[in-house]
Amino acid sequence: MMASWCALAFFCLAFFCHGAQSCPLHCKCYYRSTEVVCNDSPLTEYPSSGFQRNTTLMTIQFTNITSISEHHLSATPMLKGLHVYSNQLQNLSSHLLRGTPHLDTLDLTGNKVSELPADVFSHAPLINLVLKNNLIEKAEAKWLPDNSNITWLDLSGNRITQVPAALLQKLPHLDNLDLGNNRLEKISANSLDSLPKLERLNLRNNKLSTLDASIFQNTHNLTYLFLNRNKLQKLPQNLFQGLDQLSVVSLDDNQLSHVPAGFLDPLSSLDEEALDLSGNPWQCDGKMAYLWRWMLKNKDKVYLPESVICAAPPSLVGRSVISLKESELNL
């Protein structure tokens, strides 16, 4: 009988203690995982009370929050991940992360951030920083401390017109850089020199018309390269020289009519179906000889090789490059 009473008392104590645990208004708290989720709620301000001190993961999405300050985050000093998706964020305070010394992931996807103050991402050991789909026009070095720990930086879906070389110099450990869906027209020759560990580079859907021959000279670990949906017309012969780790390359939907002889020879590590050349206006004349021969020899490495189509001359329009014969190329 005594054992039963003890068990009942323990159950009641556990129940009432759990019920007494606080949680921010309009949010759900998962105590075992120390997670707080505020989803599709009428919040207009970042919650600054009701948190458990040991909260490690915070997700706020589809609310009307417009700003976050250092004061707000000081309520969760053990925070490791902060995900603020698809809200109305416009302002972040300087020294935002001073009260979160354990934060390694910050994701601000889908907000209305256009400018950020100095040291906004200092004071925390960030590894993953995502600023995707905002209104940023210029990515600045003043955001970060020197020798940052960030390995993953996503600036895609903004309005950036220049590769932020000064910012990248503060990221010696970066292995993923996403600048896709911006307004880049040119990349200076030394922009990526400070990124020796870079493995994945996304430049898709910009306005690039050419690339400097030495742009990748210090990125020997580059494995995934996305250059599709730009305006590339000509590429230097030795663009891929020294990139013997490249396994995926996307050049589709550009303005390429030819590639120089030897251009694809360094790509010995390409995966199967990993090179996309479709959606370009290929000129199927004598200058196409190199690409034609390379494709016949490496057909298994080309993604949908039948989709690499001649745009000229008129007699060959619509023909796939690999279906051509020597006589048709006037070799």
Side-chain angles (χ1 to χ4, degrees):
M1 178 66 73
M2 181 62 69
S4 297
W5 277 107
C6 289
L8 180 61
F10 178 80
F11 172 79
C12 292
L13 180 62
F15 176 82
F16 286 115
C17 285
H18 180 80
Q21 287 179 315
S22 60
C23 188
L25 187 64
H26 303 303
C27 302
K28 294 181 180 180
C29 295
Y30 303 90
Y31 300 105
R32 288 187 179 181
S33 60
T34 62
E35 179 181 2
V36 177
V37 177
C38 310
N39 181 34
D40 200 15
S41 71
L43 285 175
T44 57
E45 293 185 358
Y46 189 96
S48 57
S49 62
F51 290 101
Q52 296 295 307
R53 295 283 290 179
N54 64 342
T55 299
T56 60
L57 180 59
M58 180 79 181
T59 300
I60 302 178
Q61 52 190 1
F62 308 114
T63 75
N64 291 313
I65 292 173
T66 60
S67 64
I68 300 178
S69 69
E70 176 187 349
H71 170 71
H72 291 136
L73 297 186
S74 64
T76 51
M78 303 304 293
L79 203 63
K80 293 184 177 180
L82 176 58
H83 304 270
V84 189
Y85 308 130
S86 301
N87 296 280
Q88 303 296 318
L89 268 186
Q90 299 177 34
N91 301 306
L92 303 178
S93 69
S94 186
H95 305 285
L96 175 70
L97 308 180
R98 184 148 45 190
T100 54
H102 305 285
L103 192 72
D104 60 35
T105 298
L106 177 60
D107 191 339
L108 302 174
T109 296
N111 284 282
K112 297 182 178 179
V113 176
S114 59
E115 295 184 7
L116 292 168
D119 296 310
V120 61
F121 302 128
S122 298
H123 310 295
L126 285 180
I127 296 176
N128 307 299
L129 176 58
V130 181
L131 297 168
K132 181 179 181 179
N133 294 346
N134 278 278
L135 305 175
I136 299 169
E137 295 184 4
K138 186 177 181 181
E140 302 186 75
K142 67 180 183 180
W143 298 348
L144 296 174
D146 292 335
N147 198 30
S148 170
N149 293 317
I150 292 174
T151 62
W152 186 291
L153 177 61
D154 189 342
L155 288 164
S156 63
N158 282 282
R159 301 175 177 180
I160 298 171
T161 57
Q162 295 181 342
V163 173
L167 176 69
L168 300 182
Q169 288 173 5
K170 292 188 172 185
L171 299 168
H173 306 290
L174 196 68
D175 59 41
N176 181 92
L177 175 60
D178 195 336
L179 287 164
N181 300 301
N182 274 285
R183 299 176 180 179
L184 300 174
E185 295 183 1
K186 185 179 180 181
I187 303 179
S188 62
N190 61 347
S191 295
L192 307 177
D193 285 358
S194 59
L195 306 177
K197 296 185 178 181
L198 191 65
E199 295 181 4
R200 189 182 187 97
L201 177 61
N202 185 6
L203 295 169
R204 71 188 297 271
N205 201 18
N206 279 283
K207 299 180 180 181
L208 300 171
S209 59
T210 188
L211 294 172
D212 189 274
S214 62
I215 186 67
F216 302 127
Q217 64 181 352
N218 289 327
T219 57
H220 299 298
N221 288 311
L222 199 60
T223 307
Y224 301 91
L225 178 60
F226 303 95
L227 294 166
N228 45 319
R229 297 188 182 180
N230 277 279
K231 297 182 178 181
L232 295 171
Q233 299 177 21
K234 294 183 179 180
L235 293 172
Q237 179 184 14
N238 58 346
L239 182 66
F240 298 139
Q241 194 68 41
L243 301 183
D244 53 10
Q245 302 296 318
L246 267 180
S247 60
V248 174
V249 178
S250 292
L251 286 167
D252 46 300
D253 295 313
N254 278 284
Q255 297 299 315
L256 297 171
S257 58
H258 301 99
V259 295
F263 177 70
L264 299 172
D265 292 354
L267 301 181
S268 58
S269 58
L270 275 177
D271 291 341
E272 288 189 9
E273 300 185 352
L275 174 64
D276 195 341
L277 297 168
S278 62
N280 285 282
W282 297 109
Q283 181 91 17
C284 294
D285 53 20
K287 293 182 180 179
M288 180 59 72
Y290 166 74
L291 181 59
W292 173 68
R293 290 193 175 102
W294 189 94
M295 287 185 62
L296 289 176
K297 184 179 179 180
N298 299 278
K299 183 179 177 181
D300 61 319
K301 295 184 177 182
V302 181
Y303 177 70
L304 297 178
E306 293 79 9
S307 67
V308 183
I309 302 296
C310 299
S315 60
L316 297 178
V317 171
R319 289 277 302 278
S320 64
V321 172
I322 58 169
S323 71
L324 301 177
K325 299 178 181 179
E326 284 191 26
S327 58
E328 292 175 306
L329 290 171
N330 295 318
L331 301 183

